[in-house]
Amino acid sequence: VRSAPSVGALANQLLQLGEDPYFRTEVCDWSAEGGLCVQWAFPGGNAGDCNAWVGLFAEEACDWAASAPRPPYVKYKQITENRSHGMKRFTAKDLASLADGRYFVSLHAGDFSYATAGPGYCVSQRIVIEAGKIAALVGRAYAVRARAATRTGGVRAWRAGR
């Protein structure tokens, strides 16, 4: 009896094919000494042209479940590649100055209504910082389906149709 591939494995296969219809940020690797590596997905593959970036946000400043707007970022990494997926790293030095607490990573790309408020934007697992280092990951990542985005039209097609 063969077991079915995990949801993560299927998502990674879709990413490789450029067919993933979800905006997503997910912690894929972390350590207290090495920092944090985040995998991101951007349907349409034009993340750089859309000035997309991956931000680190303090969870305590945001009531995500109640559709509160994202708080100001505490750290960010610009996405310069016009690809549908990639990785960004927040180094141990990037995280060392953060106050103790929970944080999440989210993808931001300009004026998308679903990229800037509440459950309409993707968030990573929660990252627990203690004494300037990653202590644990909590919860699961949450992806957001691209509305009317197509493989060829991407986000620009969605913007034109809204």
Side-chain angles (χ1 to χ4, degrees), residues 3-156:
S3 61
S6 69
V7 172
L10 290 173
N12 283 333
Q13 288 173 353
L14 289 172
L15 276 172
Q16 295 301 320
L17 295 171
E19 298 289 345
D20 188 4
Y22 290 92
F23 289 94
R24 68 178 78 236
T25 52
E26 187 168 359
V27 175
C28 57
D29 187 31
W30 67 276
S31 71
E33 295 76 28
L36 178 70
C37 186
V38 177
Q39 182 179 19
W40 56 268
F42 193 92
N46 57 352
D49 283 348
C50 290
N51 295 318
W53 49 275
V54 175
L56 186 64
F57 300 86
E59 182 185 56
E60 70 182 24
C62 178
D63 188 355
W64 180 77
S67 298
R70 268 192 304 223
Y73 64 87
V74 294
K75 301 283 181 184
Y76 80 98
K77 300 291 179 176
Q78 189 73 37
I79 298 172
T80 57
E81 306 89 1
N82 278 325
R83 299 177 52 203
S84 60
H85 64 283
M87 291 186 202
K88 287 294 177 185
R89 180 170 294 282
F90 291 91
T91 66
K93 184 177 178 181
D94 291 333
L95 305 176
S97 63
L98 298 179
D100 288 359
R102 289 185 182 193
Y103 296 82
F104 63 87
V105 178
S106 187
L107 180 67
H108 182 81
D111 61 353
F112 310 139
S113 61
Y114 56 92
T116 56
Y121 59 85
C122 61
V123 296
S124 71
Q125 308 91 316
R126 301 330 161 259
I127 302 131
V128 179
I129 301 289
E130 294 177 357
K133 295 184 177 186
I134 301 173
L137 291 183
V138 178
R140 301 177 74 171
Y142 177 83
V144 176
R145 186 171 181 85
R147 298 180 189 134
T150 64
R151 183 172 184 204
T152 56
V155 173
R156 289 189 178 139

